[in-house]
Amino acid sequence: TTSAAREPLLRRRRHITTHTSRRTIKKKIIMAPPKEFEAPEHTIPVDSEHKAMSLNIFSFQRPHHMSFHMSWLGFFISFVSTFAAAPMVPVIREDLNMTKPDLGNAALASITGTIIARVLMGTFVDTVGPRIGLGMLLLVTAPFCFAMPFVTSASGFLICRLGIGLGLATFVACQFWMSVMFNGKCVGIANATAAGWGNLGGGVTQFVMPLVYAGMLQATKDRAFTAWRWAYIVPGMAHLLGGMAVMFLGQDLPDGNYKLLHTSGALEKKSAWQVNVIGMKNYRMWCMVLTYGFCFGVELTMNNIVASYLYDQFDVDLAIAGVLASCYGLMNIFARSVGGITSDWASRKFGMRGRLWCLWLWQTIEGVMCIFMALAKDSLGTTIAMMVLFSICVQASEGASYGIVPYITRRALGVASGFIGAGGNAGSTICIALFFTKDSIETYDGIMYMGFAIIGVTLLVIPIHFPMWGSMFFGPNDSTEEDYYIKNDFSPEEIKQGLAAPVQKFCNNAHMERPPSKRTGSESA
């Protein structure tokens, strides 16, 4: 046969092959990740979801550990800028002729505005990804830092603090990011360390911003009202540089960014409405919203009141009061990680029931330490000692909380993280409004009442029950296994389409949350 005669036949064969290939690929995109998508190889031990099996804080390996460092750094920057005004308040107050209510309203605005931002961020990371969510939020809030030098009134100051405070929603992206990068054996310590180091920005800014202000004061030849304005250029630049670093160095998931995985069919393209409905129908999420409000919310409350309490109650110098107050935030260096470590340890020993008991114990002791701090109102030394112990328990409770959050729901994890994170800010607003705004309630009495509230709200850990793992006082349902996450959040049609395939891997890896008696030998190891 001549080549001319074979040419039409070859064309027909190529056409048939191409047509068949396209039809096969289309079918596989619907049913499961297509064959042409190949997950990258990882140089560290990973599970079937390619989540890291351990956390090494000294590693910058991509994608797991580089994303770890980008997540805590972004959250850290937002904390520095949000509380940058605190150490410069005496100068700002005089410059803008602000009253005590003006300063209080600005402080509340910096925290309260984040409630909605965190809820929205939860949906955003579920649908678009944590990398863009965290990076873009830093970039979007940077202009408010650069606008601060042009403020001329109390209302302008409030608006800028409100805008800068929206950056605290980076917490949601931070915690979601760690939950999808690290395996259940170390997710508690990963979440806790990233958030703890981020929260540390609230203490660091107490030292850094006075130094920046002093430098600007020298540069402006002792023009104090100009120096504090120029000082805000530093957190503004940190937002810009941090946002770009997150965007270029981070990665959404172990296997790639959302855009690549959506295009290849390896990742479900979620509906914002659908994931919100799934999240809001989960009663466990609402229990955690309330309990988190009385650990992280208490931390934010104490950041706002503790310096003035020490100044008024013990008549110490304002600068000394600020240094002593910073001890509360500096416990984040290790205390939140302690909560994550103990949560992971309790899981290895007792499964999910151990994590729940761990949270309840830490947060109940937190309430007791809060009451003891109030009772020590006549002794500065005892107050500081109780405050440090109180702070350690607060941070540990936060770490233990986010050892549980990744298991609240898999399909709507971002939404759950967003609502629970927003609960922290809402809790702070409630505590300040109830206990620290009325002249009839002394500050030490407000601290005591807050302690009793902590103990009471923490009882909501008791009804949190996972059918396949149990709760604090009740064991698991023998007829329910980890595929509960699939049956509860996916319709039969979605399961047939293969949309639940990635969640199936999560279910397989979640066997370690079973009580030890129901684990296999490999899971126990």
Side-chain angles (χ1 to χ4, degrees):
T1 306
T2 64
S3 60
R6 289 198 306 268
E7 188 174 349
L9 178 61
L10 291 172
R11 281 202 300 267
R12 285 197 300 274
R13 285 178 177 171
R14 283 196 297 266
H15 173 73
I16 292 170
T17 302
T18 304
H19 178 72
T20 304
S21 175
R22 287 175 181 169
R23 186 170 55 195
T24 303
I25 290 171
K26 183 177 180 181
K27 182 179 179 182
K28 287 186 176 179
I29 288 175
I30 294 174
M31 298 300 294
K35 283 185 176 179
E36 62 265 35
F37 174 77
E38 294 185 5
E41 293 185 3
H42 298 284
T43 58
I44 60 173
V46 296
D47 63 13
S48 60
E49 294 180 274
H50 300 154
K51 294 181 180 180
M53 299 291 287
S54 62
L55 171 67
N56 179 1
I57 61 174
F58 301 106
S59 172
F60 287 85
Q61 166 268 344
R62 297 189 77 233
H64 304 89
H65 291 96
M66 180 60 77
S67 296
F68 164 77
H69 289 294
M70 290 299 100
S71 68
W72 77 258
L73 181 62
F75 187 35
F76 176 90
I77 290 170
S78 70
F79 245 92
V80 168
S81 60
T82 298
F83 295 100
M88 299 188 292
V89 158
V91 179
I92 297 172
R93 178 177 57 198
E94 185 178 351
D95 184 13
L96 301 179
N97 296 316
M98 297 178 70
T99 63
K100 185 176 181 180
D102 290 334
L103 291 170
N105 290 334
L108 275 176
S110 69
I111 295 172
T112 307
T114 315
I115 296 174
I116 297 175
R118 287 190 168 190
V119 171
L120 295 176
M121 179 60 79
T123 304
F124 192 90
V125 297
D126 260 333
T127 54
V128 181
R131 177 182 61 91
I132 294 179
L134 201 157
M136 286 299 297
L137 187 56
L138 286 177
L139 296 175
V140 167
T141 51
F144 290 98
C145 294
F146 293 121
M148 194 64 93
F150 304 101
V151 165
T152 58
S153 65
S155 59
F157 181 72
L158 183 147
I159 291 170
C160 284
R161 288 213 66 186
L162 172 65
I164 295 170
L166 297 178
L168 291 180
T170 53
F171 168 78
V172 177
C174 167
Q175 298 294 271
F176 178 90
W177 211 350
M178 295 301 92
S179 296
V180 297
M181 280 291 181
F182 291 91
N183 173 268
K185 291 183 177 180
C186 61
V187 71
I189 181 63
N191 267 332
T193 304
W197 289 3
N199 279 9
L200 190 62
V204 170
T205 196
Q206 303 289 338
F207 298 106
V208 171
M209 290 310 294
L211 293 176
V212 173
Y213 169 76
M216 295 300 180
L217 191 65
Q218 185 176 1
T220 58
K221 298 180 180 180
D222 295 330
R223 286 183 292 170
F225 292 170
T226 302
W228 78 262
R229 298 170 183 274
W230 284 21
Y232 261 96
I233 295 174
V234 173
M237 290 301 299
H239 273 244
L240 292 180
L241 295 175
M244 289 187 289
V246 169
M247 297 286 282
F248 287 105
L249 298 178
Q251 181 172 299
D252 289 317
L253 296 171
D255 291 341
N257 289 322
Y258 269 42
K259 184 176 181 181
L260 168 66
L261 299 176
H262 284 156
T263 303
S264 68
L267 182 68
E268 174 196 5
K269 197 166 186 178
K270 299 177 182 177
S271 159
W273 169 257
Q274 187 178 34
V275 293
N276 270 280
V277 170
I278 292 171
M280 288 188 281
K281 284 166 54 180
N282 193 315
Y283 86 92
R284 301 175 199 85
M285 183 190 81
W286 294 111
C287 290
M288 292 294 294
V289 166
L290 293 170
T291 59
Y292 196 67
F294 282 82
C295 53
F296 182 66
V298 168
E299 179 183 0
L300 294 179
T301 300
M302 292 300 292
N303 284 342
N304 273 316
I305 68 150
V306 68
S308 59
Y309 172 63
L310 296 175
Y311 175 78
D312 294 333
Q313 183 69 18
F314 300 103
D315 197 28
V316 297
D317 181 77
L318 187 60
I320 294 175
V323 171
L324 293 174
S326 70
C327 294
Y328 195 91
L330 291 176
M331 294 303 103
N332 275 296
I333 294 174
F334 70 92
R336 189 157 183 160
S337 297
V338 168
I341 291 171
T342 54
S343 180
D344 290 340
W345 174 85
S347 171
R348 288 193 296 272
K349 293 292 185 181
F350 310 105
M352 177 54 68
R353 299 180 71 182
R355 290 191 189 274
L356 294 169
W357 272 102
C358 181
L359 171 59
W360 180 82
L361 284 170
W362 274 121
Q363 196 154 317
T364 299
I365 297 172
E366 167 199 330
V368 172
M369 290 297 103
C370 183
I371 294 171
F372 283 175
M373 178 182 170
L375 294 175
K377 65 182 188 301
D378 297 324
S379 169
L380 176 60
T382 306
T383 294
I384 298 302
M386 292 299 104
M387 182 189 76
V388 169
L389 293 174
F390 173 30
S391 176
I392 291 172
C393 293
V394 169
Q395 327 300 346
S397 299
E398 295 164 5
S401 294
Y402 271 82
I404 297 170
V405 170
Y407 299 98
I408 295 293
T409 171
R410 181 62 183 88
R411 197 179 189 188
L413 175 59
V415 170
S417 297
F419 271 95
I420 294 168
N425 290 71
S428 177
T429 302
I430 292 170
C431 286
I432 291 175
L434 288 180
F435 307 129
F436 302 105
T437 57
K438 300 175 182 177
D439 291 335
S440 58
I441 300 178
E442 295 290 343
T443 302
Y444 51 79
D445 285 332
I447 293 173
M448 179 180 293
Y449 299 153
M450 186 168 66
F452 287 119
I454 292 167
I455 295 171
V457 173
T458 304
L459 293 174
L460 288 172
V461 176
I462 295 174
I464 298 177
H465 181 87
F466 293 87
M468 57 289 195
W469 300 322
S471 55
M472 285 177 61
F473 293 104
F474 298 98
N477 304 338
D478 292 334
S479 60
T480 306
E481 294 190 355
E482 284 73 15
D483 61 0
Y484 169 84
Y485 284 105
I486 295 175
K487 296 176 181 177
N488 197 55
D489 292 346
F490 292 87
S491 67
E493 183 61 29
E494 289 174 328
I495 294 173
K496 288 180 181 179
Q497 291 177 357
L499 298 180
V503 179
Q504 183 62 60
K505 295 180 180 179
F506 171 81
C507 294
N508 295 339
N509 291 319
H511 288 178
M512 67 186 71
E513 297 301 324
R514 295 175 176 179
S517 61
K518 294 183 178 295
R519 298 175 191 166
T520 64
S522 60
E523 288 162 1
S524 298

